[in-house]
Amino acid sequence: TASHNPKGDNGYKLYLGDGAQILPNQATQIEAEIARNLDVWECVDTARLGFDEVCRRDNVFTALSEPLKARYLDAIAAAFHHNPEPLNKDLPQFVYTPVHGVGSELMSRAAGRFGFRPYAPVPRQQDMDPEFSSVPFPNPEEKGVLDLAMEAADALDADRGLVIANDPDADRLAVAEKVDGKWHLFTGNELGILLAGWLWEQRDKTVAPEKYAMLTTAVSSKMLKTFADHAGFQFFETLTGFKWMSHVAMEKEALGLRVLFSFEEALGYMPGTTVLDKDGISSACLALSLAAHLHASHSSLTQHLLATSRTLGFHLSHNGYLRTPSPTTFPCILAALRTNGIILPPQNTPPPFRLASMRDLAAGKDSGEPGGRTALPDVGEEMVTWRFVGEVGGREVQ
């Protein structure tokens, strides 16, 4: 899968029998087995059969089967279909784009199971296309990727609209909403807190709040932690990526907690543990269910986000990235910063903020933790976090 990356960045994901992505130690073992098996097996006559036929003959892989699709749809409907059917049916037609990927069929079937109207497609992006011909690269976070979907929604209604988008392998979800003629593309942090709040409202309220847990990563907004402090459920922070969140979720459930939701700012959401990875289809159905609930009360996702921020405090995010052709560039930058002492706490932080703590993951250090050691596992990842606190308008800001 090229996922949300440029078409040249092809690769694949590996999962073990527990349904979660492999961790680095497992990847190392698999790479060692590959290195030991570089010669073509004698039983494979590639000249006579061809690779695909050999795979089919020897059951090397199994295509996604109809029974498995049906089991998946049954599972997400049982776990997350909370609204009365007429409520979902009343949601105005939304626009959906798989951005040239695989999501179209399952999204159509899932929306039907949840009782939504059939979506309006984006014709130029509806069919699978490994060239990603309508976009430079198919990341729904990128400027311009949802332009065609927004144009399709504009054609349906000049004032209001809702766009749902998956990346090509349908594990990420982007949502854009138009209210009074103005579009708002939700960040991963914004949509994450909205879905967390919706799942919290739909939980089994006979279970004590502290028996629930939600997770996010070290690079995501801490609004979820604020929500946990406010509502009483347990909050856990993990390393970046759903391979870490899924394994932490399994560990917490083994200890008797109910993991209600996990998310990462890069448009990835894992409702519950029905699927042990980010899942753009079930998350889309949750976002649509919340939108339908709000529509019935003459509200919107945008208005609900504002109300949530007024309750929990405003949490702002400003994300960006730089691309480099070499994987050694970033470690070299951090090594230079450490050598020059720039990562050490500065002596004179401009007011109104002061540096409260600093975490250097690769060094295993965190001045904000007891003993000065990071609470996150030491796996050699390069990441530095600075935490500032201060006061603005009489209120503490972090």
Side-chain angles (χ1 to χ4, degrees):
T1 168
S3 185
H4 61 299
N5 297 313
K7 62 182 181 181
D9 292 354
N10 251 331
Y12 54 86
K13 295 178 182 176
L14 295 179
Y15 299 78
L16 291 185
D18 57 16
Q21 289 188 53
I22 60 171
L23 294 175
N25 64 321
Q26 297 160 340
T28 300
Q29 295 175 54
I30 292 169
E31 288 169 355
E33 287 300 319
I34 291 171
R36 283 194 288 268
N37 289 275
L38 295 180
D39 294 331
V40 177
W41 295 343
E42 292 180 3
C43 64
V44 178
D45 185 352
T46 54
R48 183 172 63 86
L49 285 176
F51 179 75
D52 287 350
E53 191 172 345
V54 169
C55 289
R56 283 192 294 270
R57 183 196 67 183
D58 295 342
N59 292 321
V60 174
F61 66 81
T62 303
L64 184 62
S65 64
E66 176 53 38
L68 189 57
K69 293 178 185 178
R71 283 175 56 199
Y72 166 76
L73 292 168
D74 288 344
I76 65 171
F80 309 122
H81 185 8
H82 305 300
N83 285 347
E85 197 116 328
L87 199 68
N88 287 354
K89 189 69 75 176
D90 285 342
L91 180 70
Q93 187 179 34
F94 64 96
V95 170
Y96 171 74
T97 174
V99 192
H100 301 295
V102 300
S104 180
E105 179 203 350
L106 275 179
M107 186 62 220
S108 178
R109 293 172 62 177
R113 288 291 297 271
F114 277 69
F116 299 109
R117 303 182 192 186
Y119 64 74
V122 180
R124 284 182 57 193
Q125 297 178 341
Q126 189 70 7
D127 296 329
M128 286 182 279
D129 174 11
E131 297 298 317
F132 307 138
S133 55
S134 73
V135 292
F137 62 99
N139 184 349
E141 292 178 288
E142 290 296 314
K143 185 177 181 180
V145 172
L146 297 188
D147 284 357
L148 291 175
M150 290 177 180
E151 290 174 9
D154 288 337
L156 293 175
D157 190 316
D159 295 319
R160 302 182 68 86
L162 187 63
V163 165
I164 301 292
N166 291 137
D167 66 339
D169 62 345
D171 60 355
R172 283 174 169 81
L173 168 69
V175 175
E177 183 182 57
K178 183 173 61 172
V179 178
D180 297 329
K182 294 182 179 180
W183 281 103
H184 176 75
L185 176 58
F186 293 90
T187 68
N189 287 324
E190 290 172 340
L191 189 56
I193 200 66
L194 287 177
L195 295 182
W198 179 238
L199 284 166
W200 183 247
E201 285 299 314
Q202 305 303 319
R203 75 190 188 282
D204 179 357
K205 295 181 177 63
T206 64
V207 176
E210 64 271 17
K211 293 295 185 180
Y212 286 102
M214 297 198 205
L215 287 62
T216 191
T217 65
V219 299
S220 301
S221 168
K222 298 302 171 279
M223 195 171 190
L224 188 63
K225 183 181 185 308
T226 306
F227 185 23
D229 294 340
H230 176 82
F233 60 85
Q234 296 196 45
F235 167 83
F236 298 97
E237 183 179 83
T238 76
L239 292 171
T240 307
F242 277 84
K243 63 178 178 286
W244 297 108
M245 275 195 284
S246 60
H247 282 87
V248 171
M250 287 190 288
E251 291 170 5
K252 299 307 176 185
E253 292 212 325
L255 294 173
L257 294 178
R258 296 191 184 188
V259 177
L260 209 54
F261 185 60
S262 309
F263 87 94
E264 188 166 68
E265 55 82 24
L267 303 184
Y269 317 96
M270 186 177 88
T273 53
T274 302
V275 175
L276 283 170
D277 199 358
K278 57 185 180 291
D279 179 17
I281 302 296
S282 61
S283 299
C285 291
L286 276 174
L288 289 167
S289 297
L290 174 57
H293 171 77
L294 295 169
H295 177 75
S297 57
H298 307 287
S299 185
S300 67
L301 295 171
T302 309
Q303 292 168 321
H304 190 53
L305 178 64
L306 180 61
T308 301
S309 297
R310 285 173 174 157
T311 300
L312 299 178
F314 287 83
H315 293 62
L316 305 181
S317 61
H318 183 72
N319 299 344
Y321 59 86
L322 299 174
R323 301 186 69 193
T324 171
S326 171
T328 63
T329 301
F330 180 58
C332 286
I333 291 172
L334 287 184
L337 289 171
R338 291 189 184 97
T339 301
N340 294 324
I342 298 173
I343 280 181
L344 296 176
Q347 299 302 310
N348 297 305
T349 305
F353 297 102
R354 63 176 178 80
L355 185 64
S357 64
M358 185 273 290
R359 174 176 59 199
D360 186 348
L361 191 60
K365 298 178 179 179
D366 188 340
S367 62
E369 291 287 342
R373 301 294 299 175
T374 177
L376 295 173
D378 181 6
V379 294
E381 286 197 7
E382 295 276 8
M383 183 180 73
V384 177
T385 307
W386 291 271
R387 304 185 187 95
F388 295 88
V389 296
E391 189 174 293
V392 175
R395 297 185 65 182
E396 183 181 84
V397 177
Q398 300 183 26

